[in-house]
Amino acid sequence: MGLVVMKFGGTSVEDPAAIGRTASIVAGRVAAGKRPVVIVSAMSKVTDQLLRAAGAAAQGDRTGALAIASRLRSRHRDTAFALVKDAAALANWIEQKFDSLDEILRGLAAILELTPRISDLIVSYGEQISSRMIAAAFRERGIDAAHVDAREIIVTDSQYQKAIPIDSAIDKRSADKLPPLIRESKVPVMGGFIGANESGITTTLGRGGSDFTAALVGSAMGAEVIEIWTDVDGIMTCDPRVCADALRVKVVSFEEAAELAYFGAKVLHPATILPAVKKNIPVLVLNSRNAACEGTRIISLPPRCKSPFKSIAVKKKLSIIDVVASRMLMTHGYLKQIFDIFDKHMCPVDMVSTSEVSVSLTVDSNEKLPAIAADLSRLADVKYEGRKALVCLVGDDIRGKSGMAAQLFAAIRHINVRMISQGASEINMSFMIEEDDADEAVRSLHAAFFQDPDPDIFDVEARKQLTQSEQLTAGS
Ligand code: ADP
Ligand code: ASP
Ligand code: MG
């Protein structure tokens, strides 16, 4: 039935102008005979600010917390009035929401303890409010939008701040709630990122989780495509904020996109791809500021790429833990004991490297490290160091291409490499360096590997146009 899930991130709904662009994009899909289900994030930076307000309140800074909430209140109220002519009812609802947020913040400032459950409740206000406001803005622009509370559809377990969705319950709730609206030609609009456990208590899917919501709903509804609308032209050969030369990747495989997302390409939430893979639903990454651009298509079987790599991702704020056994302990069961400790602390490990007596691991959890190190120190000597970055190059069949590692490390020979990993997957090569060296490493690698990109896979036209206009400017 032409069902399309369209997810708009924070920058695509950051102010009235952005929400207006978003509405035009959705209206365009409706006019083309598609049936959109729209997922929206909180307005940009709102999640960060809500977390700051919660943190301040829990530290006893009641005034600071309420001041942040008051700025958010004005921003949402002003946006509502700018978007909707007769905004009295919407504005009233927004005021009530912020009144109840203020109540929670005052309570927190009194009890001085922020639990993950309360944190989720507080951050959920961002998507709760944006989604209702955007649905109203859509109606004002002639789209028959119906707001749906995401917490009635996205059923999760109770791991607050990183809740795991329960697919069977989501399938059932989606099937109950969405098709009746779609049959009446309505456009459901719901917040991303937030859900609720089976008792109805608010949870969240982890930072950047609106992409995940889109994939869950797309998969539950058997959508023909999931569109992730953001502020760049698609998945690029590296973060365009780090290297202005970044090229749009026209097409990647699900595996490559998952690897890039997991290893830090913020453009997609790591778990987004899974529900789509299961149902073989293509995912498109598109730019809401440049809707004419065809974006990146994530599909199961993209054409072969003649260039060695498709993209470079970076994950920062990592730590390396060295576990060094004083005796020769590399015996049967030793690694298991180490991993059991990480498991107990529910701390995922990104990279592992072993020698006869030592094991080095990298993790992205800083708060849990002291407790993990204390447990590990019962097995061996433990050292840990923060401020590391993992750089990961993704491309099809890296293993099958010889000389790749030599070229890679030649390109960054001026940078000190702490750990290397290749072979865990055929499509990724990664290494660990100091965080301060990460941007330079990306630029050097980009210059080395994206000189002569495969035009079937990369948007080389954009680079040509850029070079031509640079030459024109230089000549004028
Ligand atoms: P949204 O609010 O739409 O979810 P995000 O900020 O989460 O947007 O993700 C988009 C940002 O991801 C881009 O602005 C870009 O700076 C960053 N990014 C990092 N790596 C990449 C990459 N390889 N390709 C595209 N964008 C990237
Ligand atoms: N608003 C949430 C965040 O900033 C979720 C999202 O935007 O995807 O993490
Ligand atoms: Mg995002």
Side-chain angles (χ1 to χ4, degrees):
M1 68 177 161
L3 194 129
V4 186
V5 171
M6 306 176 76
K7 176 263 170 174
F8 294 88
T11 45
S12 300
V13 297
E14 67 186 356
D15 57 22
I19 296 173
R21 282 195 296 273
T22 293
S24 310
I25 293 168
V26 174
R29 288 286 185 275
V30 175
K34 301 289 177 195
R35 294 172 174 253
V37 174
V38 176
I39 315 286
V40 293
S41 290
M43 295 173 82
S44 68
K45 312 248 161 52
V46 166
T47 307
D48 289 338
Q49 284 157 6
L50 287 166
L51 284 169
R52 274 209 295 128
Q59 300 278 310
D61 180 9
R62 182 170 175 272
T63 319
L66 291 174
I68 298 173
S70 158
R71 284 194 292 274
L72 288 173
R73 185 192 287 255
S74 312
R75 180 173 171 200
H76 285 87
R77 189 203 295 127
D78 294 351
T79 308
F81 279 111
L83 287 167
V84 179
K85 240 184 273 115
D86 188 8
L90 174 65
N92 200 12
W93 178 84
I94 292 175
E95 296 294 341
Q96 282 173 21
K97 273 283 162 198
F98 278 101
D99 289 348
S100 72
L101 177 65
D102 286 352
E103 286 284 299
I104 302 171
L105 292 172
R106 284 195 199 96
L108 258 182
I111 55 172
L112 301 175
E113 192 199 351
L114 180 60
T115 60
R117 171 172 161 176
I118 298 295
S119 174
D120 272 0
L121 177 63
I122 291 175
V123 285
S124 77
Y125 276 71
E127 270 76 6
Q128 283 190 52
I129 299 172
S130 69
S131 57
R132 202 171 276 271
M133 190 167 73
I134 290 162
F138 279 10
R139 284 193 291 275
E140 187 85 6
R141 281 155 187 75
I143 302 167
D144 194 3
H147 179 258
V148 174
D149 190 331
R151 294 171 299 176
E152 291 175 9
I153 293 192
I154 304 298
V155 186
T156 71
D157 69 4
S158 300
Q159 285 183 55
Y160 299 104
Q161 298 182 318
K162 240 187 178 117
I164 312 275
I166 301 170
D167 292 348
S168 54
I170 295 174
D171 286 353
K172 167 137 196 355
R173 300 274 189 99
S174 303
D176 287 348
K177 301 232 177 258
L178 298 176
L181 296 172
I182 296 166
R183 272 198 295 277
E184 287 177 31
S185 299
K186 291 198 183 301
V187 174
V189 177
M190 56 190 266
F193 173 59
I194 62 177
N197 66 15
E198 306 216 52
S199 320
I201 297 171
T202 303
T203 57
T204 66
L205 301 172
R207 294 304 307 269
S210 296
D211 298 341
F212 198 8
T213 308
L216 290 166
V217 172
S219 150
M221 297 295 293
E224 68 176 27
V225 60
I226 297 166
E227 297 178 350
I228 306 289
W229 290 85
T230 182
D231 62 346
V232 282
D233 277 347
I235 296 183
M236 312 290 283
T237 45
C238 67
D239 187 339
R241 278 181 295 199
V242 174
C243 177
D245 250 7
L247 290 165
R248 175 170 62 91
V249 187
K250 294 198 257 189
V251 59
V252 293
S253 68
F254 284 122
E255 291 77 12
E256 289 162 342
E259 207 88 345
L260 283 169
Y262 179 77
F263 286 104
K266 193 184 158 212
V267 66
L268 272 192
H269 183 287
T272 315
I273 313 295
L274 267 180
V277 175
K278 280 196 211 148
K279 297 257 171 94
N280 206 8
I281 302 171
V283 177
L284 290 182
V285 181
L286 297 158
N287 188 352
S288 65
R289 293 161 193 267
N290 181 17
C293 177
E294 65 187 26
T296 298
R297 211 175 161 74
I298 307 172
I299 53 174
S300 49
L301 279 176
R304 264 193 91 73
C305 178
K306 291 182 210 79
S307 308
F309 297 110
K310 292 236 177 97
S311 185
I312 310 168
V314 178
K315 201 168 179 180
K316 291 188 178 169
K317 296 199 183 119
L318 299 185
S319 302
I320 292 190
I321 308 182
D322 292 316
V323 185
V324 184
S326 42
R327 302 166 267 139
M328 203 192 80
L329 271 181
M330 274 305 168
T331 46
H332 167 79
Y334 181 65
L335 283 175
K336 178 173 184 306
Q337 288 180 49
I338 293 180
F339 279 107
D340 281 348
I341 291 171
F342 284 90
D343 196 41
K344 175 182 141 198
H345 292 275
M346 299 215 301
C347 178
V349 172
D350 286 316
M351 199 197 260
V352 190
S353 152
T354 67
S355 77
E356 190 190 9
V357 291
S358 64
V359 183
S360 298
L361 309 102
T362 70
V363 298
D364 73 353
S365 163
N366 293 319
E367 330 78 85
K368 291 178 181 166
L369 268 181
I372 294 172
D375 280 355
L376 287 170
S377 63
R378 279 184 224 117
L379 297 178
D381 291 335
V382 182
K383 274 194 313 227
Y384 59 89
E385 249 180 84
R387 296 187 49 81
K388 301 285 174 281
L390 186 63
V391 179
C392 162
L393 290 102
V394 168
D396 52 21
D397 189 29
I398 296 174
R399 239 188 249 171
K401 292 176 180 144
S402 56
M404 273 304 95
Q407 277 185 52
L408 192 162
F409 292 110
I412 51 152
R413 59 181 162 271
H414 52 304
I415 290 169
N416 181 27
V417 176
R418 287 289 307 269
M419 257 170 96
I420 300 171
S421 152
Q422 197 226 330
S425 108
E426 283 178 17
I427 59 168
N428 136 12
M429 211 179 234
S430 33
F431 59 92
M432 192 79 160
I433 54 179
E434 295 298 327
E435 199 172 85
D436 291 343
D437 291 333
D439 290 355
E440 167 56 24
V442 170
R443 285 191 284 264
S444 302
L445 290 167
H446 200 271
F449 288 111
F450 293 96
Q451 276 302 335
D452 184 22
D454 181 346
D456 289 341
I457 305 291
F458 304 97
D459 181 10
V460 290
E461 286 307 312
R463 181 181 276 179
K464 273 192 214 145
Q465 278 163 15
L466 196 70
T467 322
Q468 273 164 7
S469 70
E470 275 165 5
Q471 280 163 354
L472 281 177
T473 328
S476 63

